Amino acid sequence: MFLGHYGLALAAKKIAPKVSLTMLFVAVEFVDILWPFLLLFNIETVKIHPGFTEVTPFEFVHYPYTHSLFMGVVWGLIVGGSFWFFKKDTKSAVVVGLAVLSHWFLDVIVHIPDLPLTPFGDFKVGMGLWNYKAITILLESIIFFGGVYIYAKSTKAINAQGIWGLWIMTGFFLLANAYNLFGPPPEDNVMVLFVSFAVLQVIVLGLAWWVDRNRVGQIK
């Protein structure tokens, strides 16, 4: 799941207008931001097998500390609790925490059975939608464009950048997703993966900051 996570973050802006879009992007992708660091230190493991599924060549061999349901709850409590500590906004903190946890529930739809429930056992789940590229594209598009629509309707551009910035960000997501789906597989090299993910996150979070600072929502 790629577009779907960000679609959910965009939609969450409607119910948590005090939370920046950058923070919501960090929340829904928190475990994927953490994951490359654990790969770098050989705590978690991934292999690249072109054709492993129709959608992604990644074989997620071992990643219980970032992508298990149990740790999703733990990370949600940590990130949501940290947000509350600094902002003292309970509603927003709950939304942030749930956004972190949402990553696992969206992933379980698309992943093959490789998502662990806890770091302490071998039982893994996954509905395997990644074996069906067309259905995956349809589902992610619905979630993503739904999120873009909700964000656009629940915020208002305060200048021209707020209008075309949203379109640029949307276009970037579509291009990045198309490359993921139809481009060549990445190198089976942890450092290359680490740098690639880092660059992607910098661009995405920079776009979120830029778009959100040029739009305003109704604080309820």
Side-chain angles (χ1 to χ4, degrees), residues 104-127:
W104 190 90
F105 286 97
L106 289 182
D107 272 5
V108 79
I109 299 172
V110 295
H111 278 238
I112 63 169
D114 60 17
L115 286 165
L117 294 181
T118 76
F120 319 112
D122 296 326
F123 185 73
K124 298 178 181 180
V125 296
M127 297 172 63

mmCIF file of all heavy atoms in Angstrom, residues 104-127:
data_model
loop_
_atom_site.group_PDB
_atom_site.id
_atom_site.type_symbol
_atom_site.label_atom_id
_atom_site.label_comp_id
_atom_site.label_asym_id
_atom_site.label_seq_id
_atom_site.Cartn_x
_atom_site.Cartn_y
_atom_site.Cartn_z
ATOM 1 N N TRP A 104 -0.942 -0.763 9.495
ATOM 2 C CA TRP A 104 -1.021 -2.224 9.503
ATOM 3 C C TRP A 104 -2.318 -2.699 8.862
ATOM 4 O O TRP A 104 -2.315 -3.657 8.074
ATOM 5 C CB TRP A 104 -0.927 -2.751 10.931
ATOM 6 C CG TRP A 104 -0.765 -4.243 11.004
ATOM 7 C CD1 TRP A 104 0.405 -4.948 11.013
ATOM 8 C CD2 TRP A 104 -1.803 -5.227 11.063
ATOM 9 N NE1 TRP A 104 0.167 -6.293 11.069
ATOM 10 C CE2 TRP A 104 -1.186 -6.504 11.106
ATOM 11 C CE3 TRP A 104 -3.194 -5.159 11.096
ATOM 12 C CZ2 TRP A 104 -1.914 -7.696 11.166
ATOM 13 C CZ3 TRP A 104 -3.922 -6.343 11.150
ATOM 14 C CH2 TRP A 104 -3.291 -7.583 11.180
ATOM 15 N N PHE A 105 -3.425 -2.041 9.153
ATOM 16 C CA PHE A 105 -4.720 -2.491 8.649
ATOM 17 C C PHE A 105 -4.854 -2.280 7.142
ATOM 18 O O PHE A 105 -5.521 -3.065 6.462
ATOM 19 C CB PHE A 105 -5.847 -1.790 9.405
ATOM 20 C CG PHE A 105 -6.023 -2.321 10.800
ATOM 21 C CD1 PHE A 105 -5.438 -1.677 11.881
ATOM 22 C CD2 PHE A 105 -6.752 -3.475 11.027
ATOM 23 C CE1 PHE A 105 -5.581 -2.185 13.170
ATOM 24 C CE2 PHE A 105 -6.905 -3.984 12.297
ATOM 25 C CZ PHE A 105 -6.312 -3.342 13.375
ATOM 26 N N LEU A 106 -4.229 -1.239 6.611
ATOM 27 C CA LEU A 106 -4.217 -1.080 5.154
ATOM 28 C C LEU A 106 -3.253 -2.078 4.515
ATOM 29 O O LEU A 106 -3.547 -2.646 3.458
ATOM 30 C CB LEU A 106 -3.837 0.347 4.771
ATOM 31 C CG LEU A 106 -4.884 1.432 5.048
ATOM 32 C CD1 LEU A 106 -4.389 2.785 4.564
ATOM 33 C CD2 LEU A 106 -6.212 1.106 4.381
ATOM 34 N N ASP A 107 -2.112 -2.292 5.158
ATOM 35 C CA ASP A 107 -1.141 -3.248 4.621
ATOM 36 C C ASP A 107 -1.698 -4.671 4.572
ATOM 37 O O ASP A 107 -1.398 -5.425 3.643
ATOM 38 C CB ASP A 107 0.138 -3.231 5.459
ATOM 39 C CG ASP A 107 1.139 -2.198 4.982
ATOM 40 O OD1 ASP A 107 0.799 -1.433 4.051
ATOM 41 O OD2 ASP A 107 2.252 -2.139 5.535
ATOM 42 N N VAL A 108 -2.485 -5.046 5.565
ATOM 43 C CA VAL A 108 -2.962 -6.428 5.626
ATOM 44 C C VAL A 108 -3.870 -6.755 4.436
ATOM 45 O O VAL A 108 -4.003 -7.917 4.047
ATOM 46 C CB VAL A 108 -3.694 -6.694 6.967
ATOM 47 C CG1 VAL A 108 -5.119 -6.148 6.962
ATOM 48 C CG2 VAL A 108 -3.696 -8.194 7.296
ATOM 49 N N ILE A 109 -4.447 -5.745 3.830
ATOM 50 C CA ILE A 109 -5.302 -5.961 2.659
ATOM 51 C C ILE A 109 -4.471 -6.363 1.449
ATOM 52 O O ILE A 109 -4.857 -7.259 0.693
ATOM 53 C CB ILE A 109 -6.117 -4.687 2.339
ATOM 54 C CG1 ILE A 109 -7.034 -4.323 3.511
ATOM 55 C CG2 ILE A 109 -6.953 -4.887 1.066
ATOM 56 C CD1 ILE A 109 -7.713 -2.968 3.347
ATOM 57 N N VAL A 110 -3.322 -5.749 1.278
ATOM 58 C CA VAL A 110 -2.543 -5.949 0.047
ATOM 59 C C VAL A 110 -1.409 -6.955 0.184
ATOM 60 O O VAL A 110 -1.043 -7.621 -0.788
ATOM 61 C CB VAL A 110 -2.004 -4.600 -0.485
ATOM 62 C CG1 VAL A 110 -3.132 -3.695 -0.900
ATOM 63 C CG2 VAL A 110 -1.118 -3.913 0.553
ATOM 64 N N HIS A 111 -0.835 -7.052 1.354
ATOM 65 C CA HIS A 111 0.294 -7.961 1.532
ATOM 66 C C HIS A 111 -0.137 -9.418 1.397
ATOM 67 O O HIS A 111 -1.279 -9.787 1.730
ATOM 68 C CB HIS A 111 0.909 -7.780 2.923
ATOM 69 C CG HIS A 111 1.866 -6.634 3.016
ATOM 70 N ND1 HIS A 111 3.179 -6.770 3.399
ATOM 71 C CD2 HIS A 111 1.687 -5.309 2.788
ATOM 72 C CE1 HIS A 111 3.774 -5.591 3.398
ATOM 73 N NE2 HIS A 111 2.888 -4.681 3.040
ATOM 74 N N ILE A 112 0.801 -10.262 0.936
ATOM 75 C CA ILE A 112 0.618 -11.700 1.091
ATOM 76 C C ILE A 112 0.759 -12.002 2.584
ATOM 77 O O ILE A 112 1.124 -11.112 3.360
ATOM 78 C CB ILE A 112 1.659 -12.475 0.256
ATOM 79 C CG1 ILE A 112 3.082 -12.183 0.763
ATOM 80 C CG2 ILE A 112 1.532 -12.141 -1.215
ATOM 81 C CD1 ILE A 112 4.136 -13.084 0.177
ATOM 82 N N PRO A 113 0.487 -13.219 3.033
ATOM 83 C CA PRO A 113 0.575 -13.501 4.481
ATOM 84 C C PRO A 113 2.010 -13.402 5.023
ATOM 85 O O PRO A 113 2.690 -14.405 5.254
ATOM 86 C CB PRO A 113 0.034 -14.929 4.590
ATOM 87 C CG PRO A 113 -0.842 -15.100 3.419
ATOM 88 C CD PRO A 113 -0.159 -14.341 2.316
ATOM 89 N N ASP A 114 2.465 -12.163 5.194
ATOM 90 C CA ASP A 114 3.803 -11.944 5.753
ATOM 91 C C ASP A 114 3.796 -10.935 6.898
ATOM 92 O O ASP A 114 4.852 -10.591 7.444
ATOM 93 C CB ASP A 114 4.785 -11.487 4.668
ATOM 94 C CG ASP A 114 4.386 -10.186 3.982
ATOM 95 O OD1 ASP A 114 3.535 -9.445 4.528
ATOM 96 O OD2 ASP A 114 4.906 -9.885 2.892
ATOM 97 N N LEU A 115 2.606 -10.461 7.277
ATOM 98 C CA LEU A 115 2.500 -9.481 8.358
ATOM 99 C C LEU A 115 2.296 -10.207 9.692
ATOM 100 O O LEU A 115 1.272 -10.857 9.903
ATOM 101 C CB LEU A 115 1.332 -8.524 8.117
ATOM 102 C CG LEU A 115 1.544 -7.467 7.032
ATOM 103 C CD1 LEU A 115 0.212 -6.847 6.642
ATOM 104 C CD2 LEU A 115 2.499 -6.382 7.507
ATOM 105 N N PRO A 116 3.245 -10.112 10.610
ATOM 106 C CA PRO A 116 3.100 -10.783 11.902
ATOM 107 C C PRO A 116 2.109 -10.057 12.813
ATOM 108 O O PRO A 116 1.924 -8.845 12.706
ATOM 109 C CB PRO A 116 4.514 -10.748 12.483
ATOM 110 C CG PRO A 116 5.170 -9.583 11.821
ATOM 111 C CD PRO A 116 4.545 -9.423 10.472
ATOM 112 N N LEU A 117 1.492 -10.835 13.686
ATOM 113 C CA LEU A 117 0.615 -10.221 14.685
ATOM 114 C C LEU A 117 1.423 -9.651 15.844
ATOM 115 O O LEU A 117 1.086 -8.607 16.387
ATOM 116 C CB LEU A 117 -0.398 -11.247 15.201
ATOM 117 C CG LEU A 117 -1.421 -11.754 14.180
ATOM 118 C CD1 LEU A 117 -2.374 -12.747 14.837
ATOM 119 C CD2 LEU A 117 -2.208 -10.605 13.562
ATOM 120 N N THR A 118 2.478 -10.360 16.221
ATOM 121 C CA THR A 118 3.349 -9.904 17.313
ATOM 122 C C THR A 118 4.798 -10.202 16.941
ATOM 123 O O THR A 118 5.062 -11.002 16.031
ATOM 124 C CB THR A 118 3.034 -10.626 18.645
ATOM 125 O OG1 THR A 118 3.564 -11.958 18.590
ATOM 126 C CG2 THR A 118 1.530 -10.673 18.910
ATOM 127 N N PRO A 119 5.754 -9.587 17.654
ATOM 128 C CA PRO A 119 7.169 -9.922 17.416
ATOM 129 C C PRO A 119 7.562 -11.252 18.065
ATOM 130 O O PRO A 119 8.711 -11.673 17.933
ATOM 131 C CB PRO A 119 7.922 -8.758 18.089
ATOM 132 C CG PRO A 119 6.909 -7.715 18.384
ATOM 133 C CD PRO A 119 5.609 -8.434 18.540
ATOM 134 N N PHE A 120 6.627 -11.884 18.761
ATOM 135 C CA PHE A 120 6.972 -13.039 19.599
ATOM 136 C C PHE A 120 6.515 -14.374 19.021
ATOM 137 O O PHE A 120 6.745 -15.418 19.615
ATOM 138 C CB PHE A 120 6.363 -12.862 20.995
ATOM 139 C CG PHE A 120 6.473 -11.462 21.521
ATOM 140 C CD1 PHE A 120 5.342 -10.684 21.695
ATOM 141 C CD2 PHE A 120 7.711 -10.912 21.817
ATOM 142 C CE1 PHE A 120 5.444 -9.383 22.172
ATOM 143 C CE2 PHE A 120 7.825 -9.624 22.294
ATOM 144 C CZ PHE A 120 6.686 -8.845 22.473
ATOM 145 N N GLY A 121 5.856 -14.358 17.865
ATOM 146 C CA GLY A 121 5.362 -15.596 17.277
ATOM 147 C C GLY A 121 5.571 -15.618 15.776
ATOM 148 O O GLY A 121 6.031 -14.640 15.176
ATOM 149 N N ASP A 122 5.221 -16.743 15.171
ATOM 150 C CA ASP A 122 5.440 -16.920 13.736
ATOM 151 C C ASP A 122 4.171 -16.771 12.902
ATOM 152 O O ASP A 122 4.240 -16.842 11.678
ATOM 153 C CB ASP A 122 6.039 -18.316 13.470
ATOM 154 C CG ASP A 122 7.411 -18.476 14.091
ATOM 155 O OD1 ASP A 122 8.155 -17.472 14.127
ATOM 156 O OD2 ASP A 122 7.728 -19.580 14.562
ATOM 157 N N PHE A 123 3.022 -16.571 13.552
ATOM 158 C CA PHE A 123 1.764 -16.477 12.802
ATOM 159 C C PHE A 123 1.714 -15.163 12.032
ATOM 160 O O PHE A 123 1.941 -14.086 12.592
ATOM 161 C CB PHE A 123 0.576 -16.568 13.753
ATOM 162 C CG PHE A 123 -0.754 -16.609 13.039
ATOM 163 C CD1 PHE A 123 -1.153 -17.745 12.359
ATOM 164 C CD2 PHE A 123 -1.585 -15.498 13.028
ATOM 165 C CE1 PHE A 123 -2.365 -17.786 11.696
ATOM 166 C CE2 PHE A 123 -2.792 -15.530 12.367
ATOM 167 C CZ PHE A 123 -3.183 -16.682 11.698
ATOM 168 N N LYS A 124 1.426 -15.267 10.717
ATOM 169 C CA LYS A 124 1.406 -14.089 9.864
ATOM 170 C C LYS A 124 0.126 -14.064 9.031
ATOM 171 O O LYS A 124 -0.453 -15.118 8.744
ATOM 172 C CB LYS A 124 2.625 -14.085 8.932
ATOM 173 C CG LYS A 124 3.957 -14.023 9.675
ATOM 174 C CD LYS A 124 5.140 -14.070 8.725
ATOM 175 C CE LYS A 124 6.452 -14.021 9.482
ATOM 176 N NZ LYS A 124 7.622 -14.066 8.569
ATOM 177 N N VAL A 125 -0.293 -12.869 8.657
ATOM 178 C CA VAL A 125 -1.539 -12.707 7.907
ATOM 179 C C VAL A 125 -1.330 -11.776 6.717
ATOM 180 O O VAL A 125 -0.338 -11.049 6.630
ATOM 181 C CB VAL A 125 -2.666 -12.151 8.807
ATOM 182 C CG1 VAL A 125 -3.011 -13.129 9.930
ATOM 183 C CG2 VAL A 125 -2.264 -10.798 9.400
ATOM 184 N N GLY A 126 -2.279 -11.783 5.807
ATOM 185 C CA GLY A 126 -2.263 -10.920 4.635
ATOM 186 C C GLY A 126 -3.263 -11.436 3.623
ATOM 187 O O GLY A 126 -3.362 -12.646 3.392
ATOM 188 N N MET A 127 -4.027 -10.541 3.028
ATOM 189 C CA MET A 127 -5.081 -10.929 2.097
ATOM 190 C C MET A 127 -4.575 -11.106 0.664
ATOM 191 O O MET A 127 -5.283 -11.613 -0.190
ATOM 192 C CB MET A 127 -6.210 -9.902 2.143
ATOM 193 C CG MET A 127 -6.898 -9.819 3.509
ATOM 194 S SD MET A 127 -8.082 -8.436 3.634
ATOM 195 C CE MET A 127 -9.276 -8.909 2.369
#
